[in-house]
Amino acid sequence: MPYTYLLWDWNGTLLDDLQISVDAVCDILKETGLPPTTAESYRSQIEIPTERYYQKLFDLQRWPLSFLAERYMQNYRRHIRRARLHKGAAEALAAFSNAGIRQALVSSFQQQLLYELIDLFGIGGYFDFISGAQDCFAKSKIERARNLLAEREISPSRTVVLGDMVHDAEMAAALGSDCILLSCGHQSREALERCGLPIAESLSEAAAWILCR
């Protein structure tokens, strides 16, 4: 059965911002007197909600989650000028649109900056719905995705999720939808493989998998 609806993730899936995120975390580590992290370490440790990740690096009694999350966003904004869409992003968005697949974006990223970046890259017209978080704590997005499908009477069985995190697989399972994961994003391939789902190395590969179903 072909898919009629696609739920995109943003950070690490459409947006190639891995190093920006690593640098934003390193800025906090430097401020708090801790050694820097690396992209490899970040990818092996990152989780959604990000509170679980911060617990691995910081004493949350000394450095509260609110402080860490706010500092991260401040640092991220400072580095954001280096952000780019992943290779093949524009082509994938256009291919899905041309195939008649409706597209939405559901992200744990702060909504205000999410809208700013989507406008910057000029891709907002591809989405019939964009859902970001109302705060900077990067919590679960499952309930927002569930409400989106219910409100628009979209069949979960004809919906596919495209993301780069284990949480995207968790969201797809909660919805009853298929999922393909991208290995060039924020989470390590080893972590993604434990989900037992198809994994693509690029957006062009992911697009071909979805369009051939």
Side-chain angles (χ1 to χ4, degrees):
M1 178 186 296
Y3 300 117
T4 59
Y5 210 78
L6 168 61
L7 295 182
W8 283 94
D9 174 54
W10 176 243
N11 303 91
T13 301
L14 276 168
L15 188 68
D16 182 6
D17 67 341
L18 170 62
Q19 192 57 52
I20 290 172
S21 296
V22 173
D23 290 346
V25 172
C26 283
D27 290 344
I28 307 174
L29 291 167
K30 182 178 181 180
E31 181 180 357
T32 55
L34 296 171
T37 189
T38 63
E40 181 179 9
S41 178
Y42 172 91
R43 295 184 80 228
S44 70
Q45 293 183 304
I46 189 66
E47 292 186 66
I48 298 294
T50 52
E51 180 177 5
R52 298 175 187 167
Y53 172 63
Y54 288 130
Q55 285 174 338
K56 300 172 186 178
L57 301 182
F58 302 95
D59 177 356
L60 297 190
Q61 294 297 317
R62 183 177 182 187
W63 306 107
L65 179 62
S66 58
F67 166 83
L68 298 172
E70 289 169 6
R71 276 292 196 273
Y72 173 86
M73 289 306 303
Q74 292 171 4
N75 297 336
Y76 187 100
R77 279 187 172 275
R78 209 167 49 247
H79 296 294
I80 194 59
R81 65 186 181 278
R82 296 186 280 116
R84 297 291 184 272
L85 294 179
H86 266 298
K87 181 179 179 181
E91 292 82 358
L93 288 163
F96 294 134
S97 179
N98 292 337
I101 298 175
R102 295 165 61 195
Q103 302 175 73
L105 196 155
V106 183
S107 174
S108 297
F109 199 52
Q110 191 176 44
Q111 183 152 301
Q112 180 180 348
L113 184 52
L114 179 63
Y115 277 125
E116 290 176 16
L117 291 171
I118 289 171
D119 286 344
L120 175 66
F121 292 112
I123 58 174
Y126 286 110
F127 307 110
D128 65 19
F129 191 80
I130 297 170
S131 175
Q134 297 302 311
D135 54 42
C136 57
F137 295 108
K139 298 177 182 178
S140 173
K141 56 188 181 181
I142 291 174
E143 197 60 32
R144 284 187 284 119
R146 184 181 284 123
N147 290 340
L148 166 64
L149 297 190
E151 289 169 2
R152 285 161 173 72
E153 299 182 344
I154 297 165
S155 170
S157 65
R158 301 193 68 183
T159 298
V160 60
V161 173
L162 174 50
D164 70 317
M165 301 278 287
V166 169
H167 185 59
D168 294 301
E170 295 170 341
M171 183 178 79
L175 297 174
S177 300
D178 287 347
C179 179
I180 182 167
L181 299 170
L182 197 63
S183 65
C184 58
H186 282 234
Q187 204 152 22
S188 69
R189 186 181 184 97
E190 181 181 7
L192 300 181
E193 286 176 344
R194 290 195 286 269
C195 298
L197 294 170
I199 298 175
E201 295 183 0
S202 67
L203 279 177
S204 59
E205 184 181 335
W209 185 90
I210 291 170
L211 292 169
C212 290
R213 306 302 287 178

